[in-house]
Amino acid sequence: MFKDALRELVEKTDGGIAGIVMDSEGIALDSYARDDAPFDITTVGIEFGVILGSVKRAAESLEAGAASEVAIGTDKMITIIRTLGPTYFLALALRPDGNFGKGRYMMRTTAPKLLAELG
Amino acid sequence: MFKDALRELVEKTDGGIAGIVMDSEGIALDSYARDDAPFDITTVGIEFGVILGSVKRAAESLEAGAASEVAIGTDKMITIIRTLGPTYFLALALRPDGNFGKGRYMMRTTAPKLLAELG
């Protein structure tokens, strides 16, 4: 149901590899990956979704307000995660040399559309 | 011993609030905060240092290579964390409207200098 939005997010971000909408239990609602994606975005979403949970708790404990975004850079990829309300999140994986700024911008503009559909 | 580099990092990043060099046990080697910093950077470093540990383990389990950078955005601040070898990390806290791109750039250029001193 989010396939079109996810495809647009991935294809319009230079270096975009895959995108996913997932809930905090690690259940994927929808995902989109380029044919040559070198990994399984669901596995990435599950691992980094756990991190997002820890970040939310840490931000709460620091009284830093709600956590809205986490980005993780490794040797092989950049993953940007954005919360969609309290239960869901959107993740986008890029190549390490991908356009991180464009990816963040695309996530910011895509999130409200997804949230509206999630109701 | 890292005070000058930390001051430069914080002062040259628009919206920079505080910076810290910390080890993975949560021991601060040095820190620098603007006088009006609304929080204690050591507490932030400890909380988000734990997150960095989880990120490193997740990246390993995903075979995504070594994790080098994590950024966390909340309502009240952005925190950028960059690994300094396997044991230490550098963290920079910015206002939510701070210059995130400049902060990442400053971290990338500051990290090698700090690493050289850490020997």
Side-chain angles (χ1 to χ4, degrees):
Chain A
M1 96 180 144
F2 302 112
K3 197 73 91 186
D4 289 345
L6 287 169
R7 182 186 296 112
E8 195 182 339
L9 174 67
V10 172
E11 301 284 348
K12 285 198 179 171
T13 303
D14 312 294
I17 300 172
I20 194 165
V21 176
M22 193 171 252
D23 75 7
S24 52
E25 307 289 308
I27 310 289
L29 271 67
D30 220 335
S31 67
Y32 172 81
R34 281 181 191 266
D35 290 338
D36 58 350
F39 51 77
D40 174 27
I41 186 65
T42 306
T43 313
V44 173
I46 290 170
E47 284 283 348
F48 289 161
V50 174
I51 305 280
L52 181 63
S54 312
V55 166
K56 283 179 173 180
R57 285 188 295 277
E60 218 167 272
S61 130
L62 291 168
E63 296 180 3
S68 54
E69 192 183 0
V70 177
I72 295 169
T74 72
D75 294 342
K76 297 188 190 167
M77 63 173 164
I78 300 171
T79 310
I80 311 173
I81 302 164
R82 201 172 174 86
T83 53
L84 298 172
T87 313
Y88 302 95
F89 65 88
L90 170 66
L92 171 67
L94 318 181
R95 289 201 312 261
D97 59 351
N99 191 335
F100 180 67
K102 178 74 181 288
R104 285 186 73 217
Y105 169 78
M106 290 293 298
M107 302 270 292
R108 276 201 302 276
T109 54
T110 303
K113 296 179 212 166
L114 299 178
L115 254 178
E117 281 199 66
L118 283 165
Chain B
M1 94 179 147
F2 302 112
K3 197 74 90 186
D4 289 345
L6 287 169
R7 182 187 296 112
E8 196 183 338
L9 175 66
V10 172
E11 300 285 349
K12 285 198 179 170
T13 303
D14 312 293
I17 299 172
I20 194 164
V21 177
M22 192 170 253
D23 75 6
S24 53
E25 306 290 309
I27 311 290
L29 272 66
D30 220 336
S31 66
Y32 172 80
R34 281 182 192 265
D35 292 339
D36 57 351
F39 52 77
D40 174 26
I41 185 66
T42 306
T43 313
V44 173
I46 290 170
E47 284 283 347
F48 288 161
V50 174
I51 305 278
L52 181 63
S54 312
V55 166
K56 283 179 173 181
R57 285 188 295 277
E60 218 167 274
S61 128
L62 290 168
E63 298 179 0
S68 53
E69 192 183 0
V70 178
I72 295 169
T74 71
D75 293 343
K76 296 187 190 168
M77 63 173 162
I78 299 171
T79 309
I80 311 173
I81 302 165
R82 200 171 174 86
T83 54
L84 299 172
T87 313
Y88 302 96
F89 65 88
L90 169 66
L92 170 67
L94 319 180
R95 290 200 312 262
D97 61 350
N99 190 335
F100 179 68
K102 178 75 180 287
R104 285 186 73 217
Y105 170 79
M106 290 294 297
M107 304 269 291
R108 275 200 302 274
T109 55
T110 304
K113 298 179 209 166
L114 300 177
L115 254 179
E117 283 200 63
L118 283 165

